[in-house]
Amino acid sequence: MGRKILLDKINVPGIKTYEVYRREGGYASVEKALKKMTPDDVVEEVKTSGLRGRGGAGFPAGMKWSFIDKKSGKPRHLVCNADESEPGTFKDRFLMEYIPHLLIEGMIVSSYALGANLSYIYIRGEYMWVYKILERAIAEAKAAGWLGKNILGSGYDLDLYVQIGGGAYICGEETALIESLEGNRGNPRLKPPFPAVQGLWQNPTVVNNVETISAVPWIVNNSGADYAAIGIGRSTGTKLISASGNIKNQGVYEIELGLSVYEFMNSDEYCGGMQTDRPLKALVPGGSSVPILPANLIYKTAAGEDRLMTYESLSDGGFATGSMLGSGGFIVYDDRACIVRNTWNFSRFYHHESCGQCTPCREGTGWLEKVLWRIENGQGREEDIELLWSIQSKIEGNTICPLGDAASWPVAAAIRHFRDEFEYHIRFPEKVKNRDHFVHEPFEKVRHLVGKQEV
């Protein structure tokens, strides 16, 4: 069983309350940081840990902190990105719902490290019950003296608030989140300037994910070196994985980075193997925005090495034969899944959630959804596959924020690895008009009807 850092106390009865959390050692990192460490000491420990942003990008958190502008004299802010909207991802909700004080403790220590006296947790609007849990926990922490003026007599002040978003996926992008937090429409900003220089109210700002901030107390209590000793290579520490789909044990798991995909998929400690005796067909390892992998590239890389649950191993081979760890939204498909339908469903989401600011994304996501819908519903045309490939290639890399990339990558990977399924839909429209076409007749049984081609 791997080491648990974030979920170690998750099953302690009453852990979401202040009394139990404190009794179990909670807020010790605040005491240590404020009494024994300077803000720069905390930053250095996080840099030493190798902790990478757990929201999807995987950028080193300590390095991001070191970019914050300390020379301007302006107020600084820490904003926690709790706008968890990626399809297939639900690990941040789990943390906030069941151990909210861990995030609040992380916010206090991280805000101290950055010199921030006013910080926010920006939470998606659909998480209203979680918002109430956080509000209650913040009130408990403030009543106990962990927030407000002169915390622990250190001279450090911090006010912490929770802000509810309007339910827009685009506000998971840090500059769109900042715009929304300021009361504006959630449109991404052009960069530079980056938030570390001009963020919330044009003040220096760091935006970090819930899981990232929640890892900071352990790093401060132990050490950055101890954290870096967990995992493998540049993928240090532990990672929360939201596991769903055709597996026996759906849920949120904390793994040590470096665990093999095979073990995570098949051990009883984690996913427990396939839900039924149906064979594994495909995997989305990091949430809806990352490329899908076919069965032959899930457990082994194209080079024949074991595929590991790390940033590097999952991306091995680039998008031609790899994917991304992303936000850890681990979605498993058996042979009854229709890749065309799945891709259309993702495209429908990205079209709906595009802010419309950039023409390639505004027009391209709608076009992708439309073409995929007609292929899935038996109205596809011979030229539609090449049309999809052309559309996604014109979206990728041509938008202000990564939502355009997130919309294009799943389409490109689906065509790259499952082109024959697209061809089957187009050539045999009567067979795919039934929504459950592969449930009763998995594609492997009809694959011989189409010739395998590659892009």
Side-chain angles (χ1 to χ4, degrees):
M1 182 175 290
R3 180 183 294 191
K4 300 292 186 289
I5 286 176
L6 301 174
L7 304 186
D8 182 43
K9 307 287 187 180
I10 200 75
N11 292 318
V12 174
I15 194 64
K16 71 169 58 175
T17 66
Y18 172 76
E19 291 77 12
V20 176
Y21 183 77
R22 178 62 175 156
R23 187 188 69 210
E24 293 293 322
Y27 292 99
S29 69
V30 179
E31 291 181 297
K32 181 177 180 180
L34 269 59
K35 292 181 178 179
K36 300 179 179 180
M37 303 173 73
T38 67
D40 287 344
D41 290 338
V42 179
V43 173
E44 285 304 311
E45 287 296 335
V46 174
K47 289 174 74 173
T48 301
S49 74
L51 173 66
R52 295 166 68 169
R54 301 305 199 215
F59 191 83
M63 185 178 296
K64 188 175 187 178
W65 289 9
S66 69
F67 293 156
I68 196 164
D69 181 8
K70 297 180 180 180
K71 298 179 180 179
S72 66
K74 294 182 178 179
R76 298 168 224 154
H77 307 289
L78 172 64
V79 178
C80 174
N81 185 348
D83 190 67
E84 185 177 51
S85 308
E86 180 94 346
T89 307
F90 43 90
K91 44 93 177 177
D92 290 342
R93 173 196 61 77
F94 189 79
L95 274 179
M96 293 185 289
E97 182 174 0
Y98 293 105
I99 188 163
H101 281 281
L102 179 61
L103 173 60
I104 294 166
E105 181 178 359
M107 288 294 294
I108 298 169
V109 176
S110 303
S111 296
Y112 171 72
L114 295 168
N117 302 112
L118 176 59
S119 296
Y120 292 89
I121 300 170
Y122 182 97
I123 191 168
R124 65 179 296 195
E126 291 87 345
Y127 282 173
M128 184 56 71
W129 83 98
V130 184
Y131 161 76
K132 293 176 181 177
I133 291 171
L134 288 176
E135 284 279 79
R136 189 181 308 119
I138 287 174
E140 290 176 332
K142 189 169 185 177
W146 300 104
L147 290 167
K149 299 290 185 182
N150 194 26
I151 301 171
L152 301 182
S154 65
Y156 175 65
D157 307 333
L158 176 64
D159 290 319
L160 176 62
Y161 298 97
V162 185
Q163 175 64 42
I164 305 171
Y169 173 75
I170 192 65
C171 290
E173 194 278 332
E174 62 179 9
T175 61
L177 185 158
I178 289 170
E179 284 289 314
S180 178
L181 195 52
E182 291 180 350
N184 304 317
R185 191 175 191 273
N187 279 3
R189 296 175 179 175
L190 282 168
K191 294 183 285 190
F194 291 91
V197 178
Q198 291 183 24
L200 185 63
W201 300 306
Q202 303 301 305
N203 294 330
T205 304
V206 166
V207 181
N208 276 137
N209 168 264
V210 171
E211 184 185 349
T212 312
I213 293 171
S214 297
V216 172
W218 192 95
I219 293 170
V220 170
N221 282 330
N222 295 273
S223 72
D226 284 350
Y227 189 87
I230 304 169
I232 182 171
R234 293 180 56 243
S235 293
T236 63
T238 66
K239 177 79 182 77
L240 295 184
I241 305 295
S242 312
S244 63
N246 302 129
I247 49 175
K248 288 180 181 176
N249 307 323
Q250 297 94 350
V252 176
Y253 297 98
E254 184 173 11
I255 65 167
E256 290 190 23
L257 288 169
L259 181 74
S260 72
V261 175
Y262 181 86
E263 184 177 350
F264 180 68
M265 269 283 297
N266 294 287
S267 69
D268 292 336
E269 182 184 350
Y270 300 111
C271 298
M274 299 301 289
Q275 200 168 41
T276 66
D277 60 357
R278 309 300 311 187
L280 173 64
K281 178 176 182 176
L283 168 68
V284 173
S288 65
S289 63
V290 310
I292 193 169
L293 290 174
N296 65 301
L297 292 172
I298 293 174
Y299 296 143
K300 297 285 186 179
T301 67
E305 298 177 349
D306 287 344
R307 184 82 76 178
L308 307 179
M309 298 289 287
T310 67
Y311 292 95
E312 292 77 25
S313 183
L314 282 168
S315 62
D316 185 86
F319 285 176
T321 60
S323 184
M324 297 170 66
L325 180 60
S327 60
F330 195 87
I331 311 170
V332 180
Y333 303 93
D334 66 24
D335 68 338
R336 296 170 295 182
C338 174
I339 301 302
V340 176
R341 182 172 187 83
N342 180 76
T343 307
W344 164 74
N345 201 34
F346 285 168
S347 291
R348 184 166 61 102
F349 171 82
Y350 288 111
H351 177 211
H352 181 268
E353 296 297 335
S354 172
C355 74
Q357 185 175 193
C358 306
T359 303
C361 182
R362 181 182 67 244
E363 302 300 326
T365 53
W367 206 353
L368 289 175
E369 180 193 356
K370 180 179 178 180
V371 176
L372 285 162
W373 180 90
R374 73 185 182 213
I375 294 174
E376 170 61 13
N377 286 275
Q379 300 174 27
R381 308 165 187 171
E382 288 288 343
E383 64 271 18
D384 278 348
I385 300 175
E386 293 303 325
L387 179 58
L388 286 171
W389 189 264
S390 175
I391 297 168
Q392 65 81 26
S393 68
K394 290 177 173 59
I395 300 174
E396 182 184 6
N398 292 312
T399 55
I400 290 175
C401 86
L403 189 143
D405 296 341
S408 64
W409 291 341
V411 175
I415 295 173
R416 182 180 295 114
H417 299 303
F418 299 95
R419 186 185 181 104
D420 46 5
E421 281 199 33
F422 286 81
E423 292 176 346
Y424 177 80
H425 278 69
I426 292 168
R427 295 179 190 177
F428 303 96
E430 294 304 317
K431 287 182 174 289
V432 299
K433 285 184 178 179
N434 176 1
R435 170 178 175 147
D436 298 324
H437 44 272
F438 289 157
V439 172
H440 306 297
E441 191 176 45
F443 182 65
E444 282 303 315
K445 292 186 176 181
V446 295
R447 181 189 293 274
H448 64 279
L449 298 176
V450 294
K452 180 74 174 175
Q453 298 181 33
E454 301 289 345
V455 171

PDB file of all heavy atoms in Angstrom, residues 100-116:
ATOM      1  N   PRO A 100     -12.021  19.515   4.829  1.00  0.00           N
ATOM      2  CA  PRO A 100     -11.891  20.921   4.388  1.00  0.00           C
ATOM      3  C   PRO A 100     -10.773  21.685   5.097  1.00  0.00           C
ATOM      4  O   PRO A 100     -10.178  22.586   4.510  1.00  0.00           O
ATOM      5  CB  PRO A 100     -13.266  21.518   4.711  1.00  0.00           C
ATOM      6  CG  PRO A 100     -13.809  20.643   5.816  1.00  0.00           C
ATOM      7  CD  PRO A 100     -13.317  19.263   5.490  1.00  0.00           C
ATOM      8  N   HIS A 101     -10.490  21.339   6.347  1.00  0.00           N
ATOM      9  CA  HIS A 101      -9.468  22.085   7.082  1.00  0.00           C
ATOM     10  C   HIS A 101      -8.072  21.873   6.507  1.00  0.00           C
ATOM     11  O   HIS A 101      -7.180  22.709   6.706  1.00  0.00           O
ATOM     12  CB  HIS A 101      -9.496  21.713   8.561  1.00  0.00           C
ATOM     13  CG  HIS A 101     -10.599  22.383   9.317  1.00  0.00           C
ATOM     14  ND1 HIS A 101     -10.522  23.692   9.750  1.00  0.00           N
ATOM     15  CD2 HIS A 101     -11.824  21.931   9.696  1.00  0.00           C
ATOM     16  CE1 HIS A 101     -11.642  24.019  10.384  1.00  0.00           C
ATOM     17  NE2 HIS A 101     -12.453  22.968  10.371  1.00  0.00           N
ATOM     18  N   LEU A 102      -7.863  20.784   5.781  1.00  0.00           N
ATOM     19  CA  LEU A 102      -6.566  20.572   5.142  1.00  0.00           C
ATOM     20  C   LEU A 102      -6.308  21.652   4.099  1.00  0.00           C
ATOM     21  O   LEU A 102      -5.200  22.195   4.015  1.00  0.00           O
ATOM     22  CB  LEU A 102      -6.513  19.186   4.495  1.00  0.00           C
ATOM     23  CG  LEU A 102      -5.205  18.837   3.764  1.00  0.00           C
ATOM     24  CD1 LEU A 102      -4.019  18.854   4.715  1.00  0.00           C
ATOM     25  CD2 LEU A 102      -5.325  17.480   3.081  1.00  0.00           C
ATOM     26  N   LEU A 103      -7.320  21.976   3.308  1.00  0.00           N
ATOM     27  CA  LEU A 103      -7.175  23.047   2.318  1.00  0.00           C
ATOM     28  C   LEU A 103      -6.974  24.393   3.000  1.00  0.00           C
ATOM     29  O   LEU A 103      -6.127  25.193   2.580  1.00  0.00           O
ATOM     30  CB  LEU A 103      -8.401  23.092   1.402  1.00  0.00           C
ATOM     31  CG  LEU A 103      -8.467  24.276   0.429  1.00  0.00           C
ATOM     32  CD1 LEU A 103      -7.261  24.286  -0.502  1.00  0.00           C
ATOM     33  CD2 LEU A 103      -9.771  24.245  -0.376  1.00  0.00           C
ATOM     34  N   ILE A 104      -7.731  24.652   4.065  1.00  0.00           N
ATOM     35  CA  ILE A 104      -7.613  25.945   4.749  1.00  0.00           C
ATOM     36  C   ILE A 104      -6.225  26.083   5.376  1.00  0.00           C
ATOM     37  O   ILE A 104      -5.588  27.148   5.297  1.00  0.00           O
ATOM     38  CB  ILE A 104      -8.726  26.082   5.812  1.00  0.00           C
ATOM     39  CG1 ILE A 104     -10.087  26.136   5.109  1.00  0.00           C
ATOM     40  CG2 ILE A 104      -8.511  27.314   6.674  1.00  0.00           C
ATOM     41  CD1 ILE A 104     -11.264  25.935   6.017  1.00  0.00           C
ATOM     42  N   GLU A 105      -5.725  24.995   5.969  1.00  0.00           N
ATOM     43  CA  GLU A 105      -4.363  25.021   6.519  1.00  0.00           C
ATOM     44  C   GLU A 105      -3.353  25.306   5.406  1.00  0.00           C
ATOM     45  O   GLU A 105      -2.436  26.126   5.580  1.00  0.00           O
ATOM     46  CB  GLU A 105      -4.042  23.689   7.195  1.00  0.00           C
ATOM     47  CG  GLU A 105      -2.659  23.651   7.820  1.00  0.00           C
ATOM     48  CD  GLU A 105      -2.357  22.355   8.540  1.00  0.00           C
ATOM     49  OE1 GLU A 105      -3.240  21.459   8.578  1.00  0.00           O
ATOM     50  OE2 GLU A 105      -1.233  22.219   9.069  1.00  0.00           O
ATOM     51  N   GLY A 106      -3.525  24.662   4.274  1.00  0.00           N
ATOM     52  CA  GLY A 106      -2.636  24.907   3.142  1.00  0.00           C
ATOM     53  C   GLY A 106      -2.723  26.335   2.634  1.00  0.00           C
ATOM     54  O   GLY A 106      -1.698  26.928   2.243  1.00  0.00           O
ATOM     55  N   MET A 107      -3.915  26.903   2.638  1.00  0.00           N
ATOM     56  CA  MET A 107      -4.085  28.295   2.204  1.00  0.00           C
ATOM     57  C   MET A 107      -3.351  29.257   3.132  1.00  0.00           C
ATOM     58  O   MET A 107      -2.741  30.232   2.685  1.00  0.00           O
ATOM     59  CB  MET A 107      -5.573  28.653   2.152  1.00  0.00           C
ATOM     60  CG  MET A 107      -6.358  28.031   1.013  1.00  0.00           C
ATOM     61  SD  MET A 107      -5.861  28.637  -0.615  1.00  0.00           S
ATOM     62  CE  MET A 107      -6.370  30.365  -0.539  1.00  0.00           C
ATOM     63  N   ILE A 108      -3.393  28.990   4.435  1.00  0.00           N
ATOM     64  CA  ILE A 108      -2.732  29.883   5.386  1.00  0.00           C
ATOM     65  C   ILE A 108      -1.217  29.845   5.202  1.00  0.00           C
ATOM     66  O   ILE A 108      -0.559  30.891   5.093  1.00  0.00           O
ATOM     67  CB  ILE A 108      -3.112  29.505   6.833  1.00  0.00           C
ATOM     68  CG1 ILE A 108      -4.617  29.667   7.057  1.00  0.00           C
ATOM     69  CG2 ILE A 108      -2.337  30.375   7.829  1.00  0.00           C
ATOM     70  CD1 ILE A 108      -5.115  29.069   8.369  1.00  0.00           C
ATOM     71  N   VAL A 109      -0.657  28.634   5.140  1.00  0.00           N
ATOM     72  CA  VAL A 109       0.793  28.507   4.992  1.00  0.00           C
ATOM     73  C   VAL A 109       1.257  29.059   3.645  1.00  0.00           C
ATOM     74  O   VAL A 109       2.275  29.774   3.568  1.00  0.00           O
ATOM     75  CB  VAL A 109       1.219  27.028   5.130  1.00  0.00           C
ATOM     76  CG1 VAL A 109       2.715  26.883   4.880  1.00  0.00           C
ATOM     77  CG2 VAL A 109       0.866  26.495   6.505  1.00  0.00           C
ATOM     78  N   SER A 110       0.519  28.763   2.591  1.00  0.00           N
ATOM     79  CA  SER A 110       0.898  29.234   1.254  1.00  0.00           C
ATOM     80  C   SER A 110       0.767  30.747   1.140  1.00  0.00           C
ATOM     81  O   SER A 110       1.603  31.411   0.514  1.00  0.00           O
ATOM     82  CB  SER A 110       0.042  28.539   0.194  1.00  0.00           C
ATOM     83  OG  SER A 110       0.171  27.136   0.279  1.00  0.00           O
ATOM     84  N   SER A 111      -0.273  31.306   1.743  1.00  0.00           N
ATOM     85  CA  SER A 111      -0.443  32.766   1.730  1.00  0.00           C
ATOM     86  C   SER A 111       0.695  33.444   2.485  1.00  0.00           C
ATOM     87  O   SER A 111       1.218  34.482   2.053  1.00  0.00           O
ATOM     88  CB  SER A 111      -1.791  33.147   2.354  1.00  0.00           C
ATOM     89  OG  SER A 111      -2.870  32.648   1.590  1.00  0.00           O
ATOM     90  N   TYR A 112       1.091  32.854   3.601  1.00  0.00           N
ATOM     91  CA  TYR A 112       2.233  33.377   4.369  1.00  0.00           C
ATOM     92  C   TYR A 112       3.498  33.369   3.517  1.00  0.00           C
ATOM     93  O   TYR A 112       4.260  34.343   3.508  1.00  0.00           O
ATOM     94  CB  TYR A 112       2.417  32.533   5.629  1.00  0.00           C
ATOM     95  CG  TYR A 112       3.682  32.826   6.401  1.00  0.00           C
ATOM     96  CD1 TYR A 112       3.824  34.008   7.126  1.00  0.00           C
ATOM     97  CD2 TYR A 112       4.732  31.907   6.419  1.00  0.00           C
ATOM     98  CE1 TYR A 112       4.987  34.280   7.841  1.00  0.00           C
ATOM     99  CE2 TYR A 112       5.898  32.166   7.133  1.00  0.00           C
ATOM    100  CZ  TYR A 112       6.027  33.355   7.837  1.00  0.00           C
ATOM    101  OH  TYR A 112       7.184  33.623   8.539  1.00  0.00           O
ATOM    102  N   ALA A 113       3.711  32.277   2.800  1.00  0.00           N
ATOM    103  CA  ALA A 113       4.904  32.167   1.959  1.00  0.00           C
ATOM    104  C   ALA A 113       4.941  33.236   0.876  1.00  0.00           C
ATOM    105  O   ALA A 113       6.009  33.730   0.503  1.00  0.00           O
ATOM    106  CB  ALA A 113       4.968  30.778   1.327  1.00  0.00           C
ATOM    107  N   LEU A 114       3.775  33.604   0.368  1.00  0.00           N
ATOM    108  CA  LEU A 114       3.688  34.575  -0.720  1.00  0.00           C
ATOM    109  C   LEU A 114       3.575  36.012  -0.225  1.00  0.00           C
ATOM    110  O   LEU A 114       3.647  36.944  -1.028  1.00  0.00           O
ATOM    111  CB  LEU A 114       2.475  34.250  -1.602  1.00  0.00           C
ATOM    112  CG  LEU A 114       2.539  32.918  -2.359  1.00  0.00           C
ATOM    113  CD1 LEU A 114       1.179  32.574  -2.940  1.00  0.00           C
ATOM    114  CD2 LEU A 114       3.592  32.981  -3.459  1.00  0.00           C
ATOM    115  N   GLY A 115       3.372  36.189   1.081  1.00  0.00           N
ATOM    116  CA  GLY A 115       3.160  37.531   1.606  1.00  0.00           C
ATOM    117  C   GLY A 115       1.775  38.059   1.266  1.00  0.00           C
ATOM    118  O   GLY A 115       1.579  39.271   1.133  1.00  0.00           O
ATOM    119  N   ALA A 116       0.816  37.160   1.151  1.00  0.00           N
ATOM    120  CA  ALA A 116      -0.560  37.542   0.818  1.00  0.00           C
ATOM    121  C   ALA A 116      -1.374  37.696   2.088  1.00  0.00           C
ATOM    122  O   ALA A 116      -1.351  36.817   2.954  1.00  0.00           O
ATOM    123  CB  ALA A 116      -1.196  36.481  -0.085  1.00  0.00           C
TER     124      ALA A 116
END
